[in-house]
Amino acid sequence: MRLGNLMNGIIPKSEIFFMNENIKKIETDSRKCDSESVFFAMKGRNDNGMNYIDDAIERGAKVVVSEETIERKDVKSIVVDDARKAYSIMAANLFECPAKSMKIIAVVGTNGKSTTAHFIYEILKSCGLCAGIIGTHTVKFNGVKLSHGMTTPDPVDLNRYLRSMEESGVEYVVMEVSAHAIYLEKLYGIKFDMAVFTNFSQDHLDYFKDMEEYGRIKAGFFKSSNVRLAIVNTDDVLGRNIAKGADIPVFTYGLDNPSDVFAIDIESGERTKFIVNILDEVATFDTALLGRFNVYNILGASLVARLIGISLEEIQESVKNISPCEGRFNVIISKGVKFVIDYAHTPDGLENILKELRNMTENKLRVVFGCGGDRDRSKRAVMGKIAGEYADEVVLTSDNPRSEDRLAIIEDIRAGVEDAPVIVLPNREDAIRYAYAMSNSGDVVLIAGKGSEDYIEEKGVKTYFSDKETLLRIREEENDI
C-alpha cells in the first residue's frame, strides 16, 4: 500500500515528499523490520523506541515515525504529535479500516469483562446474528478460533482480526477493552457503537500509579469521540460517575440502585432464577449460570441485545441455554465435591466468588490460589485476608511468578490471612492434588487465578499448565469419574 494511503487521517508536523513509497508492514519492534516496513519509535514507561531507530534502519526500514526530530539525514522520517495515535490510524488503514463496516461493542471494567462479552456474543449468535468476539487470549468468529496474548490485541493484530471478520460476513464484533489498551491508544480511531461498563476495583497498580489514575482511564473511554452509546452498571460508584458525566446517551443496569434494567427475586440452587425488567418489559429468566455476579453479567448482555433489537422472548430463551465462559465459574463435580475453576485474580473478583461459594457449601470451602509476579504487590495481602475470611482452608501456590520468587509472593499473600489455616504448596499441581485429596462430599474447592489460561510463566519461560486438565487427570487417576 502506498504510504500516502496509510497516512490518511494522520497530520505530520512537516510536509512529506515520499508518499509513493510502497509499504507492507508497520512495526514497533525494530527486530521485525525489513525493506517493506514503517518503524514507529514510540515512548513507553520503561523504554523509548527512539533508542532503536538505528537498528530498524539497519534492518531495512523504509520510514521512521516518531514524536521527535531524527538527526540522521539519510532517514525518511515523519514527525507527529502522538505516535501511538498515528500507529493505530495507520494499522487501521493498512487493513482498509474494517471496523467501519461492522457494529463494534466494547466491554470495559475490572471484573466481568470476559463473561459479559461472552454472553453478548452467545446471545447474538443464538438469535441468528453473525457475530465475532475478541476476548482475553481468544478470537472467535464463524467457526474460526485464534489465540493471542493479551486482553485487547495491539493495533495491527486487532485490525487483522477485524479484517478477517469483515471478509467472513461478521455483522457484530464484541470486544474486551482493557485499561492498558485505552491508555496506550490502541483503539484510537475506532468508534464503538456501544460500550458496557461492568465495575471498577483494584487491579494493575503495578502499571497505573494509583486507583484514581486507573479509574480515570476507564471512565475516560466513555465519551462521544470513542462511543455512541453507553451501558453502565450503576451499582458501582465509578459507574454512577460515568453515567452522570457522559456526553453520550446512557442506559443503566443494576440490582441495588434505580436503573433501566434490573432484577428482583433472585433464587439460587442448581440453577438461578430471577425476574428481570428491561426497559419496562418484564420476564422470568432461568439459567444454569450461578452467582449474583452472573446476574449482573446477564443484565448487561441482555440490555445490549435488546438495544440491538432482539426481542425479550429471544433473550430469555438464549439465557436459558447459555454456557459459561471458558475459565469463569466452571464447575466440575467429583466424589460429591464441587470444584470451581475461575479467573478471579483481583481482590473484588475473589471476594465475589467466595461469597457465592460460601452460600453453596454444605461442609468445607477450600481455596487454591496465588498471585502473579511483577504485578501489583499491594493486592496480595488483601487477597489473603479475603481468602481467610471466607474459606475454611487456604492453599497458597504459584501463579505466573515471572521474575519473582514463588515463595516470596506466597509470603506476601500469607501475611494477610488471619482467619483460616494455610497450606503452602508452591507447585500448582501439588496444590490442586492436595485440595482434591482432602475434600469430601459436600465440600467446595475454588481453584482461582488462571481460569482458561494454559501456562505458568517463570524466569522468562512459559510452561504448559491447565487447571482444568490437571483436575480432570487427577479425577481419572482416582477413578472418581
Side-chain angles (χ1 to χ4, degrees):
M1 182 179 286
R2 287 179 61 251
L3 179 62
N5 294 331
L6 288 174
M7 288 288 294
N8 186 32
I10 300 172
I11 302 175
K13 286 189 172 182
S14 59
E15 190 173 356
I16 307 300
F17 298 101
F18 42 88
M19 289 296 201
N20 285 325
E21 288 285 0
N22 189 44
I23 303 297
K24 291 187 179 180
K25 297 167 59 181
I26 60 174
E27 301 289 355
T28 59
D29 185 338
S30 64
R31 295 167 296 183
K32 296 179 180 179
C33 287
D34 58 27
S35 61
E36 298 175 319
S37 303
V38 171
F39 174 63
F40 275 81
M42 297 192 297
K43 296 177 181 178
R45 289 206 168 185
N46 300 313
D47 208 348
N48 189 339
M50 296 293 292
N51 298 328
Y52 302 96
I53 288 174
D54 290 343
D55 182 58
I57 293 168
E58 287 172 10
R59 294 174 188 272
K62 278 190 173 182
V63 178
V64 174
V65 179
S66 65
E67 295 173 5
E68 301 175 26
T69 301
I70 297 171
E71 299 302 327
R72 286 182 59 163
K73 302 302 181 184
D74 60 334
V75 177
K76 291 177 179 176
S77 64
I78 300 171
V79 181
V80 295
D81 287 325
D82 192 316
R84 292 192 179 278
K85 290 180 179 179
Y87 177 55
S88 293
I89 292 172
M90 194 175 285
N93 289 338
L94 183 65
F95 293 95
E96 300 179 336
C97 301
K100 291 184 178 179
S101 63
M102 297 176 287
K103 301 289 186 183
I104 315 290
I105 301 161
V107 183
V108 181
T110 306
N111 298 310
K113 287 194 302 295
S114 295
T115 302
T116 301
H118 169 74
F119 289 173
I120 296 168
Y121 170 69
E122 291 294 331
I123 291 171
L124 298 187
K125 278 204 313 173
S126 70
C127 294
L129 298 178
C130 190
I133 184 169
I134 300 174
T136 302
H137 308 305
T138 305
V139 175
K140 292 188 289 187
F141 61 97
N142 285 340
V144 176
K145 185 175 181 179
L146 306 170
S147 297
H148 66 90
M150 54 190 70
T151 300
T152 308
D154 282 334
V156 170
D157 288 335
L158 172 60
N159 281 278
R160 182 182 292 114
Y161 298 143
L162 290 173
R163 179 65 173 172
S164 296
M165 290 182 180
E166 179 191 37
E167 291 175 345
S168 74
V170 169
E171 303 169 85
Y172 293 89
V173 180
V174 188
M175 185 189 307
E176 290 184 54
V177 172
S178 68
H180 294 80
I182 298 168
Y183 177 79
L184 296 173
E185 301 286 4
K186 290 184 181 183
L187 308 167
Y188 186 79
I190 295 178
K191 187 69 171 279
F192 289 82
D193 293 273
M194 297 183 191
V196 181
F197 175 79
T198 61
N199 54 56
F200 174 70
S201 63
Q202 182 177 340
D203 200 11
H204 302 306
L205 296 189
D206 56 297
Y207 191 87
F208 300 106
K209 63 182 181 181
D210 51 36
M211 290 290 286
E212 183 179 355
E213 182 191 27
Y214 179 43
R216 186 170 63 252
I217 295 299
K218 286 189 180 293
F221 182 72
F222 291 83
K223 56 187 179 183
S224 57
S225 58
N226 299 326
V227 178
R228 292 187 174 90
L229 182 150
I231 294 168
V232 176
N233 171 12
T234 48
D235 284 352
D236 184 275
V237 174
L238 185 60
R240 291 195 292 276
N241 291 336
I242 291 171
K244 290 176 184 176
D247 62 347
I248 54 177
V250 176
F251 290 84
T252 61
Y253 68 97
L255 297 177
D256 301 324
N257 288 287
S259 53
D260 298 310
V261 175
F262 59 91
I264 60 172
D265 297 341
I266 301 170
E267 299 176 7
S268 295
E270 292 300 315
R271 295 177 67 85
T272 302
K273 297 181 180 180
F274 53 93
I275 296 172
V276 63
N277 182 311
I278 300 181
L279 304 174
D280 294 329
E281 295 180 292
V282 179
T284 299
F285 279 14
D286 176 2
T287 178
L289 303 164
L290 304 177
R292 181 180 169 93
F293 50 86
N294 267 330
V295 176
Y296 278 106
N297 297 331
I298 289 170
L299 291 180
S302 298
L303 180 50
V304 169
R306 189 70 192 93
L307 291 172
I308 285 173
I310 297 172
S311 71
L312 182 56
E313 291 73 22
E314 289 177 292
I315 297 169
Q316 182 183 34
E317 190 63 26
S318 298
V319 168
K320 184 185 296 182
N321 301 307
I322 206 165
S323 59
C325 180
E326 185 72 21
R328 269 71 174 178
F329 210 98
N330 296 165
V331 181
I332 296 171
I333 298 176
S334 181
K335 62 178 186 178
V337 180
K338 289 187 177 75
F339 294 89
V340 179
I341 296 172
D342 194 89
Y343 186 55
H345 65 290
T346 67
D348 189 59
L350 186 65
E351 183 170 22
N352 285 339
I353 194 167
L354 284 173
K355 277 183 181 178
E356 296 294 338
L357 293 178
R358 183 77 268 173
N359 293 330
M360 293 169 52
T361 304
E362 296 175 21
N363 294 321
K364 287 189 175 181
L365 172 61
R366 288 182 175 84
V367 56
V368 178
F369 82 106
C371 288
D374 303 333
R375 297 295 186 266
D376 178 10
R377 296 187 179 191
S378 67
K379 73 179 184 181
R380 295 173 185 173
V382 177
M383 292 179 71
K385 186 174 190 302
I386 289 167
E389 286 177 359
Y390 291 97
D392 297 297
E393 185 174 63
V394 178
V395 184
L396 297 180
T397 189
S398 61
D399 181 348
N400 294 335
R402 299 184 178 89
S403 70
E404 291 192 64
D405 179 73
R406 291 185 180 197
L407 286 172
I409 296 171
I410 288 171
E411 284 305 310
D412 286 346
I413 305 168
R414 188 174 188 169
V417 182
E418 298 174 354
D419 302 318
V422 176
I423 302 296
V424 174
L425 293 167
N427 181 286
R428 196 169 179 93
E429 180 168 339
D430 290 345
I432 294 172
R433 285 186 177 278
Y434 170 84
Y436 189 95
M438 296 302 293
S439 297
N440 301 301
S441 183
D443 290 354
V444 173
V445 176
L446 171 63
I447 304 171
K450 296 190 73 64
S452 62
E453 194 174 78
D454 60 1
Y455 62 85
I456 290 179
E457 183 179 352
E458 188 170 19
K459 308 302 181 188
V461 177
K462 287 186 177 181
T463 304
Y464 185 84
F465 186 88
S466 162
D467 285 347
K468 183 177 180 180
E469 289 181 17
T470 301
L471 179 61
L472 291 176
R473 185 173 68 251
I474 294 168
R475 185 177 73 170
E476 185 175 2
E477 290 171 0
E478 298 296 326
N479 294 314
D480 291 327
I481 299 175

